[in-house]
Amino acid sequence: MTRTGDEPFIAAVKPLVDAMGGELLPPDEAGPDDVVLSWEGADVVAVRLPQLADSLDHILAAMERKKGKPLADLDRKSKQEVVRILEARGAFSVRHGVETVASALGVSRFTVYNYLNREKGS
């Protein structure tokens, strides 16, 4: 997949690709929706971006890892903070985003909407 000397570039972009739930591919396997990254004039690696719904699941899993426990086990204030972060990242523009987040937090859709409205009222 790589030419000699490309490994540092790939190592540099890998954490970003992993954080967004993407996949690294050889550039010659890139599809029309993949992003090919070039370095020093040559195609080095392709990035397959996740579907938006998969990306939300990936973000929720990353937040659980960061918090060190299931999001449903967080206290109310922490859940409100999670909703605030997810709103800033566009989680609620994804189809069924509210339902997905509510399920992960162990709360109702109504509660998620209350958290969102509370932020708008502040």
Side-chain angles (χ1 to χ4, degrees), residues 3-106:
R3 299 173 304 154
T4 305
D6 290 340
E7 292 82 9
F9 176 77
I10 293 170
V13 298
K14 187 174 182 340
L16 176 61
V17 173
D18 289 346
M20 62 187 193
E23 177 185 356
L24 295 174
L25 306 166
D28 59 345
E29 292 180 20
D33 294 330
D34 297 331
V35 178
V36 177
L37 302 178
S38 298
W39 182 251
E40 297 178 346
D43 292 345
V44 176
V45 67
V47 178
R48 180 155 298 151
L49 300 171
Q51 297 297 313
L52 284 176
D54 295 337
S55 188
L56 178 54
D57 290 338
H58 190 79
I59 290 167
L60 289 167
M63 292 183 91
E64 277 195 349
R65 283 192 303 277
K66 186 175 182 179
K67 297 287 185 184
K69 60 182 167 182
L71 297 177
D73 292 347
L74 298 175
D75 62 28
R76 184 172 185 260
K77 184 176 179 185
S78 296
K79 288 179 182 183
Q80 289 172 335
E81 177 187 344
V82 166
V83 168
R84 200 170 34 252
I85 292 166
L86 291 171
E87 182 180 28
R89 294 187 70 180
F92 302 110
S93 62
V94 176
R95 183 180 169 108
H96 302 298
V98 171
E99 292 86 349
T100 301
V101 171
S103 177
L105 292 175

